[in-house]
Amino acid sequence: MESLQTAAFWIGLFEIVWINIILSGDNAVVIALAARTLPAAQQKKAIFWGSGAAVVLRVALTMVAAKLLTLAYLQIVGGCLLLWIGLQLLREEDEDDAATPTHGNLLGAIRTILVADLVMSLDNVIGVAAAAQGNLVLLVLGLALSIPLVIFGSSFMIRLMARLPMIVVLGAGLIGWVGGETIISDTALHDVALAVPLLHYLAPALGAAFVVGVGKLWQHKAQPATGA
């Protein structure tokens, strides 16, 4: 407990909270997209449990993140998984527009939140681990304080999506952007990315375009069926 009285502890705590404020935007979008099709009562549960469980996973992930990031093809797989999640979340939007009763279930939403947050946090937790400097109390406390930030951001995004449906498309595009960014950051593509710096911008853009483009294609194909 003596560490709580040191300036280094409070500086580290501030750094971790600040890092999470900066990085909580895309996580809030993922949570909002996953929970928005649930009934109002279950939305709050999905946001709370999804955010809390994601933080626990981040603590565990931080311990091994540096090692994981050296594994070739791991981020490629994770990035492809994010692209798939973005497509599925956008497809749910298309089904909602078609007036199909496709309310997801609570466990399914929480599972989506956990998987997406886990992949999106792979490289982010390096900064958190550096700020914690091996102090587990600092790590857990700092990440726990980020839960209210993500919960507030997710709740706000759900209300915004209800008013502006285009936000759903933009949110899915953001997931695709992070997916493309994750893929090009893989160790196996390091030399390629180094030789062609433009890929650091092109890959995220292609990821976003892929999710939105395929999602809109699904929507276009669904329209004749709903008009019948």
Side-chain angles (χ1 to χ4, degrees):
M1 298 300 290
E2 292 181 1
S3 61
L4 298 178
Q5 302 174 8
T6 64
F9 177 87
W10 293 105
I11 292 173
L13 180 61
F14 173 78
E15 289 176 348
I16 291 176
V17 172
W18 183 245
I19 288 170
N20 279 282
I21 290 175
I22 296 172
L23 301 178
S24 62
D26 50 2
N27 298 96
V29 170
V30 169
I31 293 172
L33 283 170
R36 67 188 173 78
T37 59
L38 297 172
Q42 290 191 352
Q43 281 182 358
K44 295 180 180 179
K45 292 181 180 178
I47 291 173
F48 177 80
W49 289 110
S51 302
V55 167
V56 173
L57 274 181
R58 282 198 200 187
V59 173
L61 182 63
T62 301
M63 306 300 179
V64 295
K67 186 68 176 179
L68 287 176
L69 289 176
T70 64
L71 299 178
Y73 307 110
L74 178 64
Q75 288 184 272
I76 293 177
V77 173
C80 291
L81 188 56
L82 279 181
L83 295 179
W84 176 250
I85 289 174
L87 286 173
Q88 292 304 306
L89 293 174
L90 195 54
R91 190 173 190 176
E92 287 180 7
E93 169 67 9
D94 298 337
E95 291 172 345
D96 287 344
D97 291 341
T100 305
T102 56
H103 287 300
N105 60 73
L106 180 61
L107 291 179
I110 293 175
R111 183 174 62 248
T112 298
I113 292 168
L114 287 178
V115 173
D117 187 87
L118 185 64
V119 176
M120 296 171 78
S121 299
L122 265 177
D123 52 352
N124 296 343
V125 294
I126 296 296
V128 174
Q133 296 182 346
N135 189 323
L136 184 59
V137 174
L138 180 58
L139 177 63
V140 174
L141 184 59
L143 289 175
L145 288 175
S146 70
I147 295 179
L149 297 173
V150 177
I151 289 177
F152 172 79
S154 304
S155 301
F156 173 76
M157 287 301 302
I158 288 177
R159 292 194 296 269
L160 192 61
M161 287 173 184
R163 291 174 177 268
L164 301 170
M166 179 55 66
I167 298 295
V168 176
V169 178
L170 294 176
L174 175 62
I175 297 174
W177 179 279
V178 177
E181 194 173 47
T182 301
I183 291 172
I184 199 60
S185 299
D186 192 273
T187 304
L189 299 177
H190 175 74
D191 293 339
V192 176
L194 202 61
V196 188
L198 184 62
L199 287 176
H200 287 290
Y201 305 98
L202 186 59
L206 288 175
F210 172 77
V211 170
V212 174
V214 174
K216 285 300 180 183
L217 181 62
W218 281 344
Q219 185 179 30
H220 178 72
K221 287 186 176 180
Q223 284 176 349
T226 56

